[in-house]
Amino acid sequence: MNAAYNKGALSNMDKITQTREVPVIGSYDVVVCGGGPAGWIAAVASARNGARTAMIEQFGFPGGMATAGLVLPISVFTYNNKLVCGGIPWEFVNRMEAMGGAQVEKPLGNVAHDPEVYKLTAQRMLLEAGVQLHYHATVTGCSYENGHLTHVIMDTRSGPKALETRYVIDATGDGAICAMMHVPMQEAGDQPLQPASLIFCLGGVDTDNLPVAHHNLQGVNMHHVPLQRALRELAKTEEVPQFGGPWFCHIMHDGFVLVNATRTFADMTNHLDATAAECRLREDAYVLTEYFRRLDPVFQNCYLAYTAPVCGTRETRHIRGAHILTGEEYLNRVHFEDSIARSAHPIDIHSANDSQQRCTFLEDAAYIPYRCLVVPGFDNLIVPSRCLSADQIASASIRVQAPIMCLGQAAGLAAAMCARDGISVHDVDISAMREKLISWGVDI
Ligand SMILES: Cc1cc2nc3c(=O)[nH]c(=O)nc-3n(C[C@H](O)[C@H](O)[C@H](O)COP(=O)(O)OP(=O)(O)OC[C@H]3O[C@@H](n4cnc5c(N)ncnc54)[C@H](O)[C@@H]3O)c2cc1C
């Protein structure tokens, strides 16, 4: 792994060798590691298309950053009101909406939602599709030879267990399986990693008078400009924590908003960096709540209701796949023969060291090729997650949830098709796959 992505790593003081016998408790066509937006949609797509599918998730619920990180809204399904990220992700949004748990904000197709409705709806879709769920299980290893993986090993409450599998989808966000299998990673780009943030929920907010809690303008960054100015002014005389935005999102309940404002630099693949970030940002959430109360009457009666179960990060590893999608290709909306998803979110780069954000809005939705999800020399591994093979510029747009869900959908379909035909992930019938995705409503 590149040194710049490994900042803060512990030096190994000593080493112990452990050997352990791991019972194999299941055998599947497809094992999906990670149940975030990429993973759970991939699992549904795989199972619906005939593959015996299991999903491993360290938490007790699906959604990843959307639920464990309280990352709202789900950005963005449409461009100028035209749906580009259709299929299973959009079916999911419609189901949440029917339960009163989501609101589609037009023309962007940003989706504000209730995270509890998210968890329940996703769980129902997984179980209806026949996915075998392995919650409270952390993937800690795998067996592979010559780039071909045979078993995924997970630590569970009752010790280590293994699942035999023909294909694996790494949807851990950070590319945990890729790192274990020594998949080549990209060199660090010109910019430092984007920051980590701990999202928090405020209660007692006058939500009727907080228009920025709705994200309904194309080409506009919906942060709270007056509050940002007030915080920057205050920072001249008082100690204001590093912040971004602030951005607000409603969660379908009056008086409550989620706040995306805290930020710090951290390599979240390093557990001590992650620990430091959690500690720092919990303090900052508390302090920022105090300042919001002082600075804006909309927040005068607000209180810190809860923080997200985990601090999230926007960026860690980037794998080196069969194609590295560049910012230039992305901004020029280059269409590929193996385009399998689109993204309409701006190139959205948050500074790790201050409150700045660089947003480049797209002239139309960009295309993402299948080759960004597969790695030369690895014949049964597909990687639809945030760490896919794109440079830092293209990744800064693809990383949001709607395109990531669409990549999960394509990965699940590809894995099921490969399992049916018994072929390498590099040999999947691209035109049949694209045809199917288009029939599901993906605009590619
Ligand atoms: C602060 C912040 C703000 C953001 N703002 C937005 C926004 O406004 N709109 C938007 O759409 N997106 C936003 N994003 C981006 C988006 O949330 C993520 O990029 C997206 O969730 C990535 O999806 P993923 O499935 O690849 O990874 P994740 O969501 O990280 O899911 C990975 C899953 O894998 C599990 N996992 C990881 N390792 C293991 C393991 N070893 N064993 C078992 N399970 C494992 C995790 O628990 C998790 O459930 C934001 C992200 C952050 C951090």
Side-chain angles (χ1 to χ4, degrees):
M1 191 171 43
N2 187 283
Y5 289 148
N6 204 16
K7 209 169 173 183
L10 284 174
S11 61
N12 294 321
M13 295 168 70
D14 206 346
K15 278 188 179 162
I16 57 166
T17 304
Q18 262 195 330
T19 37
R20 50 184 193 173
E21 285 203 335
V22 181
V24 180
I25 60 162
S27 179
Y28 299 93
D29 293 322
V30 178
V31 167
V32 180
C33 300
W40 83 260
I41 295 277
V44 171
S46 166
R48 281 188 187 178
N49 284 277
R52 291 171 301 121
T53 306
M55 188 185 91
I56 305 173
E57 168 54 49
Q58 64 187 344
F59 299 127
F61 49 85
M65 275 299 112
T67 51
L70 293 179
V71 169
L72 269 70
I74 305 175
S75 315
V76 296
F77 283 87
T78 57
Y79 193 90
N80 275 339
N81 263 333
K82 182 171 190 265
L83 181 67
V84 292
C85 296
I88 300 169
W90 191 240
E91 174 193 331
F92 165 62
V93 170
N94 290 334
R95 280 181 70 156
M96 285 203 295
E97 212 175 13
M99 286 176 71
Q103 185 188 356
V104 180
E105 299 170 333
K106 294 179 177 168
L108 290 178
N110 249 315
V111 179
H113 61 87
D114 175 341
E116 290 306 320
V117 175
Y118 187 119
K119 288 180 199 167
L120 184 61
T121 310
Q123 175 183 298
R124 285 178 177 169
M125 288 174 69
L126 284 158
L127 294 174
E128 285 163 13
V131 176
Q132 175 64 58
L133 297 178
H134 293 268
Y135 285 157
H136 299 286
T138 303
V139 178
T140 50
C142 56
S143 271
Y144 68 98
E145 212 171 325
N146 299 326
H148 181 86
L149 185 143
T150 56
H151 295 83
V152 175
I153 298 159
M154 51 193 187
D155 277 351
T156 75
R157 292 172 179 221
S158 47
K161 312 275 185 215
L163 300 181
E164 185 182 37
T165 188
R166 296 170 63 208
Y167 297 87
V168 66
I169 294 179
D170 183 348
T172 57
D174 294 327
I177 311 297
C178 294
M180 290 170 198
M181 291 181 74
H182 303 288
V183 164
M185 299 291 163
Q186 291 175 46
E187 303 291 310
D190 294 337
Q191 67 196 37
L193 292 180
Q194 293 204 42
S197 296
L198 180 66
I199 293 182
F200 55 97
C201 182
L202 294 179
V205 177
D206 177 8
T207 38
D208 289 342
N209 288 305
L210 189 63
V212 287
H214 302 272
H215 305 239
N216 48 6
L217 293 173
Q218 189 95 53
V220 175
N221 183 352
M222 296 297 292
H223 58 302
H224 195 318
V225 177
L227 194 52
Q228 181 188 75
R229 287 199 187 119
L231 284 167
R232 284 185 178 162
E233 194 55 35
L234 196 70
K236 293 177 183 164
T237 52
E238 295 188 36
E239 204 169 314
V240 175
Q242 189 187 336
F243 69 94
W247 295 270
F248 297 91
C249 189
H250 74 116
I251 56 168
M252 315 294 297
H253 299 287
D254 287 346
F256 290 95
V257 282
L258 287 181
V259 187
N260 177 354
T262 68
R263 62 166 57 167
T264 188
F265 177 81
D267 174 359
M268 294 293 281
T269 62
N270 176 290
H271 82 281
L272 288 184
D273 253 27
T275 304
E278 293 276 3
C279 295
R280 167 80 268 141
L281 298 181
R282 199 169 317 288
E283 295 283 354
D284 291 355
Y286 189 79
V287 173
L288 285 170
T289 304
E290 291 288 330
Y291 283 137
F292 291 175
R293 252 199 300 263
R294 265 171 58 186
L295 293 172
D296 187 333
V298 162
F299 298 104
Q300 65 186 349
N301 297 317
C302 81
Y303 57 93
L304 181 57
Y306 49 86
T307 56
V310 291
C311 163
T313 188
R314 297 169 175 85
E315 187 178 21
T316 51
R317 304 181 181 102
H318 297 278
I319 63 161
R320 185 177 269 283
H323 181 78
I324 299 178
L325 186 60
T326 65
E328 200 182 334
E329 288 169 326
Y330 200 78
L331 283 164
N332 288 321
R333 302 175 304 288
V334 173
H335 184 270
F336 305 90
E337 278 185 8
D338 59 339
S339 295
I340 41 144
R342 286 183 87 178
S343 169
H345 192 70
I347 310 273
D348 182 6
I349 300 172
H350 298 248
S351 165
N353 306 315
D354 54 37
S355 63
Q356 301 298 322
Q357 177 198 24
R358 270 189 294 140
C359 248
T360 309
F361 291 93
L362 307 182
E363 283 174 27
D364 200 351
Y367 296 91
I368 308 157
Y370 174 70
R371 281 164 299 147
C372 294
L373 276 50
V374 291
V375 187
F378 295 79
D379 69 352
N380 65 347
L381 171 70
I382 310 183
V383 190
S385 222
R386 160 168 65 71
C387 62
L388 85 164
S389 181
D391 71 12
Q392 283 193 290
I393 305 296
S395 293
S397 164
I398 301 170
R399 67 185 177 83
V400 296
Q401 295 170 64
I404 286 285
M405 287 168 130
C406 274
L407 292 174
Q409 160 171 268
L413 173 61
M417 289 171 67
C418 291
R420 183 197 59 202
D421 299 339
I423 54 172
S424 157
V425 295
H426 297 279
D427 296 332
V428 67
D429 182 344
I430 293 290
S431 54
M433 186 164 121
R434 277 177 39 84
E435 220 169 273
K436 192 145 216 176
L437 291 170
I438 291 166
S439 76
W440 291 350
V442 188
D443 180 29
I444 43 176

